């Protein structure tokens, strides 16, 4: 197994949003941070970022926040935005305040529209983000769409053909799988992440999406117990399910 990364303790804690290095030094001196139950004498020493570190290093008696390299699974509610450019509450505001001061910061892994709900991943791990969104990986994303009017009978064949062109684009869409549930409800699985792709695909077959919810990314399904606005930190096994 490879050696764990090490980092200066004050830098780690500052990067996790606990304060400036000066504030961290003061908090450590006054025993607010404890390492293995003992006061930290030297915050400038390097520490190994082992998985058990959050349990060993406490702040006011509470386990440390997740270490860098964190992946969060969120049930994105309707009405919040993934974009910094769009007005309104951002998905990041659903995370604890301190997590919003982290460096590197959390980014969303791809985006969901403001009026789309469902499975959203956030991470501070650039390599993980790249692996999920890279076109080379072809990670499937499954959406449940509620439609304005009955679906055209040939919609599934058109989506599967690999020849469909969206307005204003130069390359055809990759084949996508449509599972029709009823006249106005369908599951659509796509492997790309083009702008408003699902809504535009249904528009291209003369329909209109009235509700959109992402159920799955790769092999990972949004768990039933995760209510809109709730999130959980993913462990290595859960992350692996995405690519499995
Ligand atoms: N496609 C869309 O149109 N919207 C989303 O939020 C995701 C995929």
């Amino acid at each position: 197994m490879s050696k764990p990364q090490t980092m200066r303790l004050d830098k780690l804690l500052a990067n996790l949003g606990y304060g400036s290095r000066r504030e961290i030094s003061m908090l450590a001196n006054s025993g607010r941070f404890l390492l293995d139950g003992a006061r930290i004498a030297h915050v400038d020493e390097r520490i190994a970022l082992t998985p058990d570190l959050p349990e060993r290093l406490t702040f006011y008696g509470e386990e440390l926040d997740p270490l860098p390299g964190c992946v969060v699974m969120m049930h994105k509610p309707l009405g919040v935005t993934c974009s910094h450019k769009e007005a309104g509450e951002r998905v990041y505001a659903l995370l604890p305040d301190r997590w919003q001061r982290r460096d590197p910061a959390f980014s969303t892994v791809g985006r969901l529209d403001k009026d789309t709900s469902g499975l959203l991943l956030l991470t501070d791990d650039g390599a993980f983000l790249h692996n999920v969104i890279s076109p080379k990986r072809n990670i499937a994303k499954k959406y449940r769409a509620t439609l304005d009017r009955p679906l055209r009978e040939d919609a599934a064949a058109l989506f599967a053909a690999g020849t469909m062109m969206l307005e204003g684009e130069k390359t055809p869409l990759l084949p996508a799988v449509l599972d029709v549930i009823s006249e106005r409800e369908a599951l659509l699985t796509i492997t790309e992440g083009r702008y408003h792709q699902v809504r535009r695909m249904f528009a291209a077959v003369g329909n209109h999406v009235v509700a959109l919810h992402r159920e799955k990314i790769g092999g990972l399904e949004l768990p039933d117990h995760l209510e809109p606005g709730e999130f959980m930190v993913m462990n290595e096994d859960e992350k692996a399910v995405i690519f499995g």
Side-chain angles (χ1 to χ4, degrees), residues 111-113 116 143 196-200 212:
R111 286 186 184 161
L112 289 179
D113 300 336
T116 302
Y143 295 85
H196 292 333
Q197 182 169 337
V198 174
R199 291 174 201 276
R200 290 164 73 210
L212 190 59

Side-chain angles (χ1 to χ4, degrees), residues 70-109:
C70 173
V71 179
V72 166
M73 158 166 40
M74 180 183 279
H75 184 161
K76 180 194 171 294
L78 295 172
V80 297
T81 165
C82 294
S83 162
H84 288 285
K85 290 185 194 140
E86 204 172 0
E89 192 188 13
R90 310 221 156 82
V91 288
Y92 306 103
L94 300 171
L95 299 176
D97 285 349
R98 189 167 53 233
W99 296 24
Q100 296 173 50
R101 299 195 294 271
R102 286 167 68 116
D103 179 17
F106 280 104
S107 304
T108 62
V109 180

Side-chain angles (χ1 to χ4, degrees), residues 164-169 171 173 194-195 197 200-201 204:
M164 181 176 249
M165 293 292 286
L166 292 178
E167 223 176 282
E169 298 208 355
T171 47
L173 291 171
R194 302 198 199 185
Y195 183 67
Q197 182 169 337
R200 290 164 73 210
M201 286 175 74

Side-chain angles (χ1 to χ4, degrees), residues 18-234:
Y18 285 92
S20 64
R21 288 207 203 178
R22 209 177 110 77
E23 286 163 342
I24 280 155
S25 175
M26 288 185 331
L27 288 164
N29 285 339
S30 54
R32 305 298 184 229
F33 288 107
L34 296 178
L35 181 59
D36 298 324
R39 192 174 291 220
I40 298 164
H42 303 289
V43 287
D44 56 352
E45 275 180 9
R46 294 184 81 86
I47 187 146
L49 305 188
T50 52
D52 64 350
L53 186 59
E55 287 160 41
R56 295 174 48 215
L57 180 44
T58 58
F59 180 57
Y60 283 93
E62 301 261 326
E63 238 182 58
L64 201 69
D65 292 343
L67 297 180
C70 173
V71 179
V72 166
M73 158 166 40
M74 180 183 279
H75 184 161
K76 180 194 171 294
L78 295 172
V80 297
T81 165
C82 294
S83 162
H84 288 285
K85 290 185 194 140
E86 204 172 0
E89 192 188 13
R90 310 221 156 82
V91 288
Y92 306 103
L94 300 171
L95 299 176
D97 285 349
R98 189 167 53 233
W99 296 24
Q100 296 173 50
R101 299 195 294 271
R102 286 167 68 116
D103 179 17
F106 280 104
S107 304
T108 62
V109 180
R111 286 186 184 161
L112 289 179
D113 300 336
K114 194 171 182 174
D115 48 0
T116 302
S117 58
L119 177 57
L120 179 69
L121 302 176
L122 299 104
T123 187
D124 62 357
D125 181 343
F128 173 84
L129 188 148
H130 177 77
N131 282 339
V132 179
I133 65 172
S134 165
K136 286 188 197 138
R137 292 264 184 166
N138 270 323
I139 302 273
K141 282 139 315 211
K142 190 192 253 185
Y143 295 85
R144 182 178 291 267
T146 310
L147 305 164
D148 195 29
R149 50 196 85 115
L151 251 177
R152 254 169 74 162
E153 275 188 10
D154 58 352
L158 289 168
F159 289 166
T163 51
M164 181 176 249
M165 293 292 286
L166 292 178
E167 223 176 282
E169 298 208 355
K170 292 195 175 72
T171 47
L173 291 171
L174 290 174
V177 178
L178 185 73
D179 293 312
V180 178
I181 296 176
S182 66
E183 249 191 359
R184 288 165 205 244
E185 193 174 26
L187 296 171
L188 179 59
T189 303
I190 59 174
T191 56
E192 300 170 279
R194 302 198 199 185
Y195 183 67
H196 292 333
Q197 182 169 337
V198 174
R199 291 174 201 276
R200 290 164 73 210
M201 286 175 74
F202 282 106
V205 291
N207 217 312
H208 176 73
V209 171
V210 291
L212 190 59
H213 179 82
R214 182 156 65 192
E215 297 197 337
K216 203 168 172 189
I217 300 177
L220 178 74
E221 272 185 82
L222 182 67
D224 287 341
H225 64 79
L226 212 58
E227 298 289 336
E230 288 185 346
F231 65 88
M232 57 182 268
V233 174
M234 294 175 71

